[in-house]
Structures are given as structure tokens and as C-alpha cells.
């Protein structure tokens, strides 16, 4: 059901975008002025009056500013649309020897829980990505004050080794980022 909903969402988004693109191109490239066909609000409701618009157009920054803003908005909308069509990595990891599969979110939660339980770790954030038989694990650990990275690395190595054993046919590539929580010094005002 989720796949059908996602497909319908992307299809409606693409058709809406295509309709707006064709309509906007038709208005921009047609020889007749479109201003006569558009509904005009009353003058007291206008955001920019004609006198204020003439004053803004006379300034040197107006045209480049409007063009840059329009290009930025278009680029952001195009990026959002492209992200709607990107599938990303698979969210299911097939288990060896069975017909079952493991959700990568469940693996993230398990690794996050085990990494946060290591001595000297204040908190942890884990991301797991699967692509073409390759599993990428990104761990960001915040160490407690006074903890050295050398004290945490043996436990972290065992943790990643268990993840490699559990996901045996996949090769596991791990990226670990260690951050240190600073000592909180009370400030006197």
C-alpha cells in the first residue's frame, strides 16, 4: 500500500509540475500580453502599487534580486521534486539462509542502543545505508567529559564486528565520528 501511495504521490506531483511548466511557458512565449486576461484585484488591496513598482524597478538591485530569488526558488522546488523521485537505498536487508529481511531502522536502533551503552559514551546517533550488497554504518558518538577515544575504540570495534557477523553476506563499511562534550562551567552574571 505504501508503494502505491508513493507512486501516486510522485505521479500527481510530476503531472502538476508539467502542467505548470507548459502553462507558464505558454504565457511567457505567447505574443499577446497576458495581463489583460488575468484577474486584477482592487487598487486598495494591491501589495505593490504601480507607482511603488516603478520606483523599485528604477533601482539597480531590483531586477538582479528578483531574478536571483526566482532562480533560487526554482532550484529548491526542482531539488525537492528530484528528492521525491529518488528511491534511496533499500530499507530492507535480506537475512542469510532465510526468506526474512531486517529493517535497516531496526539495525540502526540496535547499534545505537549498544553504542550508547558503552562506557564513556554520552550519546550516539546511528545511520545505516544499504546499496548493492554493501552496508554503510555511520556512527556519531559524543564522549563524556574526561573520556579518551582510546578507551571507547575497543568496545566500538567489537560492536561493529558483531554487526558484520550479523549481516554476513554484506560487506560492512563503517564511519565513526567522535565528538567530545565540553565541561559545562557555570557563568556568573
Amino acid at each position: 500500500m505504501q508503494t502505491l501511495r508513493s507512486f501516486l504521490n510522485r505521479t500527481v506531483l510530476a503531472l502538476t509540475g508539467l502542467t505548470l511548466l507548459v502553462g507558464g511557458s505558454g504565457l511567457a512565449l505567447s505574443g499577446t500580453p497576458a495581463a489583460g486576461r488575468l484577474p486584477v484585484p482592487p487598487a486598495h488591496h494591491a501589495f505593490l502599487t504601480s507607482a511603488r513598482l516603478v520606483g523599485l524597478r528604477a533601482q539597480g538591485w531590483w531586477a538582479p534580486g528578483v531574478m536571483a530569488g526566482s532562480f533560487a526558488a526554482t532550484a529548491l522546488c526542482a531539488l525537492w521534486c528530484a528528492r521525491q523521485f529518488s528511491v534511496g537505498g533499500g530499507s530492507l536487508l535480506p537475512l542469510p539462509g532465510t526468506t526474512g529481511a531486517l529493517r535497516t531502522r531496526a539495525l540502526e536502533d540496535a547499534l545505537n542502543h549498544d553504542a550508547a551503552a558503552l562506557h564513556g559514551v554520552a550519546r550516539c546517533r546511528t545511520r545505516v545505508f544499504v546499496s548493492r550488497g554493501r552496508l554503510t554504518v555511520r556512527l556519531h558518538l559524543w564522549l563524556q567529559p574526561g573520556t579518551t577515544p582510546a578507551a571507547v575504540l575497543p568496545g566500538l570495534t567489537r560492536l561493529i564486528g558483531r554487526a558484520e557477523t550479523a549481516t554476513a553476506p554484506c560487506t560492512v563499511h563503517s564511519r565513526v565520528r567522535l565528538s567530545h562534550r565540553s565541561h559545562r562551567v557555570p557563568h556568573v552574571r
Side-chain angles (χ1 to χ4, degrees):
M1 184 67 182
Q2 183 67 23
T3 306
L4 179 64
R5 180 181 296 164
S6 177
F7 173 75
L8 288 175
N9 181 21
R10 292 173 183 170
T11 303
V12 168
L13 182 65
L15 289 175
T16 303
L18 186 63
T19 303
L20 290 174
L21 179 69
V22 169
S25 299
L27 282 174
L29 298 176
S30 68
T32 60
R37 297 186 305 239
L38 296 176
V40 179
H44 63 279
H45 290 310
F47 179 69
L48 286 174
T49 62
S50 59
R52 175 134 188 223
L53 188 58
V54 168
L56 286 173
R57 286 181 179 162
Q59 297 180 8
W61 61 267
W62 176 254
V66 168
M67 292 299 290
S70 299
F71 285 139
T74 302
L76 287 174
C77 288
L79 181 64
W80 177 74
C81 184
R83 295 285 297 176
Q84 288 291 315
F85 284 102
S86 71
V87 178
S91 63
L92 293 177
L93 181 66
L95 294 174
T98 65
T99 59
L102 174 67
R103 288 183 316 127
T104 55
R105 180 69 183 159
L107 183 60
E108 283 178 8
D109 290 343
L111 288 173
N112 202 22
H113 180 335
D114 291 348
L118 291 173
H119 179 69
V121 175
R123 71 182 188 115
C124 175
R125 183 175 61 208
T126 307
R127 292 295 315 252
V128 175
F129 303 100
V130 179
S131 64
R132 293 181 294 236
R134 177 180 169 176
L135 190 70
T136 302
V137 177
R138 291 184 185 167
L139 289 164
H140 187 178
L141 301 172
W142 284 268
L143 303 178
Q144 292 176 349
T147 304
T148 62
V152 176
L153 286 178
L156 195 56
T157 305
R158 285 191 301 273
L159 176 68
I160 293 173
R162 285 197 316 255
E164 287 177 349
T165 305
T167 60
C170 293
T171 58
V172 176
H173 297 278
S174 58
R175 294 183 179 183
V176 178
R177 179 179 173 193
L178 298 174
S179 297
H180 211 286
R181 295 184 101 182
S182 62
H183 293 282
R184 303 225 176 211
V185 179
H187 296 281
V188 179
R189 292 185 185 205

